[in-house]
Amino acid sequence: MAPPHTLIFRHPEGPRPAFPVRPVFLPNAGCPGKCIYCVQEVQTGRAALALGDIYEHLRRELDRAAAAAHAPFELGFYGGTFTALPEDYAARFVALAAAYKQGGPVAAVRCSTRPDAAGLPLLRELAALGLDSVELGVQSFDDAALAASRRGYDGAAARAACEAVREAGLNLGVQLLPGLPSLPSLPGHAPEAFRRDIEILLEIKPGLVRLYPCLVIEGSALAAMHDRGEYAPWPLETAASEIARALPPLWRAGVRVARLGLAPQPGLLGKIKAGPWHASLGSLTRGRALYAMLAQSLDGRRMNALRLPRRYQGELFGFGGELIEPYARLGLKTANAKPWDQAHFALETA
Ligand code: SF4
């Protein structure tokens, strides 16, 4: 009998972020209107507040964190169109956060905004004040999906905004919303369009991507379209398999995939009328992506045993153990998969 061979596999995902993000929610602040899928109060679990109140609350919170010598965190302004906030609030918020950077609790500052509100002069001004990263709510680079979703910009404008963020010296993040409606046939944009979006991302190589499959949330214009039979969201299986397919190439390109699906904010679950909701979409898709990569590296061989970095222990056999059987078909029993403190995987093959 031939001796077993050991294959080495290195997971292409980069290191975890150095600092946790502390979010500051600004629901719909600065938005030119309401996008058809968006109900920020439900998605963020926060009611809209006056910007002055949020500013004062944040200032007190940062004072307290500084006084307590709190471990550093990244401050993230989310839930609105940050670069279109009225009364110069974008600059005021960034300047406030930046004042707590030197020796204080704020390690970095990020914000999210729309591509059509990301003008280079303002981005440069905010970068000079201390902004580090901008996440663009691109949603899709597909013109038909953007038009059907009435986003008000096209794919070329979204790409130009990505360039502007980089030109301003800022780190770029991109948020995508797979499964948006699409013209000419409104029901959900085809998986092919999402695959093209991923190809574009692989060219642009943002530092970070968030993928939020499009959900039908009560109170949104999309919910009314859904009621009229004009929109059908992706089934969960489509979202899960498309995202699992997208992860390995993104990781290999050095793109960090941060958030998979909406965070389960209080009140969100009861408001989802339809769509690919899963509380553990991250674990579901990451497990499948890892399985695909390990199976590919086996290249037809059978795997008797596996040593794996502890970081991946929880997701190896998939959400709810859905991958136990597929791994068994590759030759791997659950008892023969053991975590270790190395950074690589070792696959013992027959
Ligand atoms: S711009 Fe963003 S936050 Fe504002 S309504 Fe549209 S999706 Fe919601």
Side-chain angles (χ1 to χ4, degrees), residues 30 97 131 211 225 259 269 287 304 315 324:
L131 185 67
L211 302 173
M225 289 166 66
R259 171 90 227 154
L269 283 188
N304 296 334
E315 63 196 50
I324 291 174

Side-chain angles (χ1 to χ4, degrees), residues 280-292:
S280 302
L281 189 67
S283 146
L284 182 73
T285 52
R286 291 170 56 87
R288 290 187 187 186
L290 175 57
Y291 172 81

Side-chain angles (χ1 to χ4, degrees), residues 26-40 43 79-81 113-114 137 139 151:
L26 311 163
N28 291 118
C31 299
K34 273 224 170 157
C35 296
I36 60 168
Y37 47 81
C38 183
V39 191
Q40 276 299 324
Q43 285 155 258
T81 303
T113 196
R114 294 168 53 95
Q139 320 310 17
R151 283 290 286 173

Side-chain angles (χ1 to χ4, degrees), residues 36 39 60 90 98 102 116 138 168 179 187 189 248 254 295 318 323 343:
I36 60 168
V39 191
R60 286 194 296 273
Q102 289 293 330
D116 54 355
V138 165
H189 87 316
L323 299 172

Side-chain angles (χ1 to χ4, degrees), residues 287 290-291 294 306 308 312-318 323 327 332 337 345:
L290 175 57
Y291 172 81
L294 290 177
L306 174 71
L308 73 158
Y312 297 102
Q313 188 181 2
E315 63 196 50
L316 180 71
F317 288 108
L323 299 172
Y327 275 110
L332 183 71
F345 293 67

